[in-house]
Amino acid sequence: MTTIAYDGTNVVADRYWTTCYGDKLFEVDGKIVGYTGPAAYYSRVVEYFTGGVKPPDLGDDAEVLVVDRHTGRVWLYDNEMDSIETEAPVAIGTGYQIAMGFMLGGGNAEGAVRAAAEFDPFTKLGGGMTEYKVRG
């Protein structure tokens, strides 16, 4: 899967997709959207947020994090695209527990993803990281 972390200032994600590397974050209408789950469903999430299509079927292992770039507000979406508003710091993906521990200990989102990559076999930095700054 992956690790995506938001510390109230930045949203950071690794770029590992099991067999390749690629982005897991995108921006649409001032919202930063991060996706963890099967790579085959990433395009469904993009279409949902950019085209207003009906909620996609994402299987059981998907999570979505949405951050308003202007206000810093953050929502978590489950695999059925039901959402709940929460607060930073927040992390999703297989390395979320490591990332949360790092941020709750005073670290930032980039460090949280790096820490997750050290211990979570599904978070890797070989393809680098993607980072978006929140202006809120």
Side-chain angles (χ1 to χ4, degrees):
M1 226 157 137
T2 197
T3 302
I4 299 175
Y6 172 53
D7 60 12
T9 303
N10 295 302
V11 181
V12 181
D14 72 302
R15 301 184 72 230
Y16 180 61
W17 286 109
T18 308
T19 59
C20 64
Y21 290 95
D23 286 328
K24 297 174 184 184
L25 300 176
F26 64 95
E27 184 175 1
V28 60
D29 297 330
K31 304 258 188 324
I32 302 162
V33 180
Y35 167 75
T36 66
Y41 298 150
Y42 179 72
S43 63
R44 295 178 186 179
V45 173
V46 173
E47 290 170 2
Y48 176 72
F49 284 100
T50 60
V53 298
K54 68 179 185 159
D57 176 12
L58 298 177
D60 293 333
D61 296 329
E63 298 172 290
V64 178
L65 177 139
V66 177
V67 177
D68 186 305
R69 191 168 206 167
H70 306 289
T71 66
R73 292 175 65 192
V74 59
W75 296 265
L76 296 175
Y77 288 74
D78 64 14
N79 63 321
E80 295 179 356
M81 299 308 287
D82 293 324
S83 67
I84 185 169
E85 189 169 359
T86 189
E87 296 179 356
V90 64
I92 61 173
T94 55
Y96 87 92
Q97 292 173 320
I98 299 162
M100 286 299 298
F102 189 88
M103 290 187 292
L104 289 171
N108 63 19
E110 179 182 344
V113 173
R114 288 186 184 283
E118 287 290 320
F119 300 101
D120 174 37
F122 303 106
T123 301
K124 299 184 189 237
L125 299 181
M129 292 186 285
T130 304
E131 182 172 353
Y132 282 84
K133 187 160 202 60
V134 176
R135 297 179 206 130

